[in-house]
């Protein structure tokens, strides 16, 4: 079962606005379908790990919230985003909500990190030791943040966006708390650009081919 006080946060951008950087290779309906597929996969993953006391899906998309409410396992909470649409503000709302529910730490996972595993989450949890501090899993360019653990949930402000890896590291230093960096090729792969999409498709095809042989 989940460690006491460990909650996950899954922020979800409105599906019709997601993956705009793929506009050159995917039609609007294709980008929307990809966003929905990635969201379902991410939420299924978080529930299946059985490592969290609760999971907060924060979004202003009614469909994402309805999908979250449909889950009967995993203690999934659908939190409607309020105020101006901004990722860090939404994450702050979700972290405050989780803290009110008893969260001692929060694990933030964007929806487009499809190859993360239960072992990755366990190792990030272990790195934190559930002490005051943060654990960052950077993207392949070591500029973005592909997973983030905060203990407690408000130990630093959220700084997702351009160069968020550096920003989160700097905020931890300013708060005088431990900052662990978790390196994983699986977690480092997100789907933002056409080359990312090509890599994702190739890895999925290889996985399906292997499963077919088995």
């Amino acid at each position: 079962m989940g460690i006491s006080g460990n909650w996950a946060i899954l922020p979800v951008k409105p599906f019709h606005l997601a993956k705009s950087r793929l506009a050159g290779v995917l039609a609007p309906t294709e980008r929307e379908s990809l966003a929905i597929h990635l969201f379902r996969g991410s939420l299924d993953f978080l529930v299946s790990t059985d490592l969290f006391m609760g999971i907060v899906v924060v979004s202003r998309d009614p469909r994402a919230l309805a999908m979250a409410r449909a889950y009967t396992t995993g203690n999934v909470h659908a939190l409607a985003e309020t105020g101006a649409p901004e990722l860090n503000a939404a994450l702050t709302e979700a972290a405050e909500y989780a803290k009110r529910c008893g969260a001692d730490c929060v694990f933030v996972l964007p929806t487009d990190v499809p190859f993360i595993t239960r072992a990755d989450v366990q190792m990030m949890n272990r790195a934190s030791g559930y002490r005051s501090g943060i654990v960052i899993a950077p993207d392949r360019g070591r500029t973005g943040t592909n997973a983030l653990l905060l203990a407690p949930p408000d130990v630093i402000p959220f700084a997702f966006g351009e160069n968020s890896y550096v920003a989160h590291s700097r905020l931890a230093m300013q708060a005088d708390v431990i900052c662990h960096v978790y390196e994983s090729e699986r977690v480092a792969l997100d789907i933002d650009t056409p080359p990312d999409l090509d890599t994702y498709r190739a890895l999925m095809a290889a996985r399906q081919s292997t499963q077919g042989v088995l």
Side-chain angles (χ1 to χ4, degrees), residues 6 8 25 47 55 76-78 84 98 105 111 132 137 140-141 145 156-157 172 208:
N6 189 16
V25 294
V47 170
I55 300 166
V76 178
H77 297 238
C105 64
T111 58
S132 182
R140 288 183 291 177
T145 302
I156 63 168
Q208 291 166 1

Side-chain angles (χ1 to χ4, degrees), residues 19 22 34 38 42 109-117 120 137-147 182-207:
K19 298 300 154 199
L22 297 177
L34 175 63
L38 291 171
S42 298
L109 181 69
T111 58
D112 63 345
V113 185
F115 296 111
I116 189 171
T117 67
D120 292 315
D139 64 7
R140 288 183 291 177
R142 292 181 71 86
T143 57
T145 302
N146 278 9
Y182 177 67
E183 301 280 1
S184 165
E185 290 185 5
R186 295 181 299 271
V187 185
L189 175 62
D190 52 13
I191 305 173
D192 281 334
T193 65
D196 296 335
L197 182 61
D198 290 341
T199 300
Y200 168 71
R201 285 171 166 168
L203 289 171
M204 288 300 296
R207 176 178 292 186

Side-chain angles (χ1 to χ4, degrees), residues 144-201:
T145 302
N146 278 9
L148 179 67
L149 187 149
L150 301 185
D154 55 359
V155 65
I156 63 168
F158 293 104
F160 281 88
E162 188 174 357
N163 295 320
S164 64
Y165 169 68
V166 174
H168 285 131
S169 302
R170 183 179 297 120
L171 285 166
M173 183 181 301
Q174 292 170 352
D176 195 25
V177 295
I178 295 172
C179 175
H180 295 279
V181 178
Y182 177 67
E183 301 280 1
S184 165
E185 290 185 5
R186 295 181 299 271
V187 185
L189 175 62
D190 52 13
I191 305 173
D192 281 334
T193 65
D196 296 335
L197 182 61
D198 290 341
T199 300
Y200 168 71
R201 285 171 166 168

